[in-house]
Amino acid sequence: MLKIALFCSGGMSTSLVGSKMKRVYEEQGRSDISVEAYDFAMIDEIGGEVDVIIIAPQISWAKEQVEEQYPGKKIVCLTMQEFGAMDGVAVIERLKKEGVHD
């Protein structure tokens, strides 16, 4: 199971992106991928349990800190355009480009 966690400053906007990603994965029959959204304050609790950490643009300042804290994890920082579009397909395509999955 590939575990993906999205983090933003409050967890609300990432939950919208996450639900759209889940819908796309379900339509593709990808039951091997889970997507959850969290408040950035929860990264210490969640970060070690996931394979991919997606950082929303409003907390992009934390990318280096997260990379240092979780060196074995794939860290992806979304652009404002990717995040603002709230497009699950676009985010999944970005993950493919980053080598997260096929």
Side-chain angles (χ1 to χ4, degrees), residues 84-100:
M86 296 281 166
D87 183 348
V89 173
V91 176
I92 289 170
E93 287 302 315
R94 170 73 188 283
L95 293 180
K96 287 180 183 179
K97 287 179 187 171
E98 296 282 341
V100 171

Side-chain angles (χ1 to χ4, degrees), residues 2-3 6 21 24 27-28 34 39 43 48 66 68-69:
L2 179 70
K3 294 181 179 181
L6 293 96
M21 289 174 67
V24 173
E27 290 169 1
Q28 294 176 350
S34 72
D39 180 317
I43 197 159
V66 174
E68 289 174 13
Q69 194 171 354

Side-chain angles (χ1 to χ4, degrees), residues 8-60:
C8 73
S9 56
M12 298 303 279
S13 51
T14 50
S15 66
L16 294 171
V17 175
S19 66
K20 291 182 180 197
M21 289 174 67
K22 283 182 192 181
R23 190 173 315 124
V24 173
Y25 283 132
E26 287 170 6
E27 290 169 1
Q28 294 176 350
R30 299 295 306 257
S31 58
D32 60 327
I33 300 174
S34 72
V35 179
E36 298 297 332
Y38 302 96
D39 180 317
F40 185 63
M42 295 185 67
I43 197 159
D44 290 337
E45 296 172 46
I46 307 299
E49 301 171 11
V50 300
D51 304 299
V52 181
I53 296 172
I54 299 176
I55 299 173
Q58 64 266 45
I59 57 166
S60 60

